[in-house]
Amino acid sequence: MKRLLMLSIVLLLSGLTFAQDGKKTTTESGLTYIRLLDGDGASPKDGDKVKIWFIGRLSTGKVFEKVEKSVKFTVGDKGLIPGFSEALTLMKEGERARFIMPPEIAYGEKGSTALGGVVVVPPNETISFEILMQKVY
C-alpha cells in the first residue's frame, strides 16, 4: 500500500494520471466524482482536518492551482468552495479521485482572481480537482 501511495503521489505531482476508467457518480449538488485509486482509511466529516495533495484544472485542462507539498484543510471551512468540501467528505484515506465541479459549487459568477486582479478562474467556469487524500485527523 505504501509503495502504491508513493507512486500515486509522484504521478499526481508530475501532472500524470492513471487511466480514468473509474465509474462516474454525480451527486445531488452536481459534483461529478471519479475514483482513480481506492482508499481504505477513514472518511472525513465536517470539522475534521485532512492532509491532501491536489491539482485544480479549468475546463480547458489548464492547471490553475497545484500544490507541491501536502496541505492541510478543515473540512467544511468557510474559506473552501462548497464543491471542494463536499469532495473531501466523499473520500477515504489513501484514495485518489477526480472531481468535476459546475460553477454553482465552484467559483460561480464571480470566478476567482489572484492578487493584482489577475483572473485565475473565469466566471461561470466548470473546474476539476484531482485529489489524493493522505490523512484524516
Side-chain angles (χ1 to χ4, degrees):
M1 178 68 182
K2 208 173 207 180
R3 292 179 93 184
L4 188 55
L5 182 59
M6 289 305 297
L7 175 61
S8 178
I9 291 167
V10 169
L11 291 173
L12 179 66
L13 292 176
S14 69
L16 301 174
T17 60
F18 289 114
Q20 297 177 11
D21 297 333
K23 178 183 164 190
K24 286 186 181 182
T25 303
T26 301
T27 68
E28 193 173 307
S29 71
L31 177 69
T32 299
Y33 174 29
I34 306 161
R35 181 174 293 126
L36 303 173
L37 177 67
D38 287 334
D40 57 4
S43 290
K45 58 189 180 311
D46 278 353
D48 287 346
K49 292 185 184 340
V50 295
K51 183 177 176 182
I52 64 172
W53 273 280
F54 70 91
I55 297 173
R57 292 186 173 91
L58 301 176
S59 60
T60 62
K62 180 182 177 188
V63 173
F64 69 88
E65 187 172 11
K66 180 178 180 180
V67 297
E68 299 298 330
K69 297 180 181 180
S70 62
V71 292
K72 292 181 183 179
F73 289 105
T74 299
V75 178
D77 185 281
K78 299 288 185 208
L80 297 178
I81 58 173
F84 201 87
S85 279
E86 181 181 356
L88 295 175
T89 65
L90 296 171
M91 299 184 77
K92 293 181 178 182
E93 281 184 2
E95 184 175 338
R96 184 164 168 248
R98 165 170 272 146
F99 296 91
I100 303 166
M101 301 174 193
E104 300 79 26
I105 59 171
Y107 292 99
E109 293 178 1
K110 292 183 178 181
S112 175
T113 56
L115 292 175
V118 175
V119 174
V120 177
V121 178
N124 297 311
E125 177 75 6
T126 295
I127 60 172
S128 67
F129 283 98
E130 205 162 303
I131 302 171
L132 174 63
M133 177 71 67
Q134 255 202 312
K135 184 80 175 151
V136 177
Y137 300 94

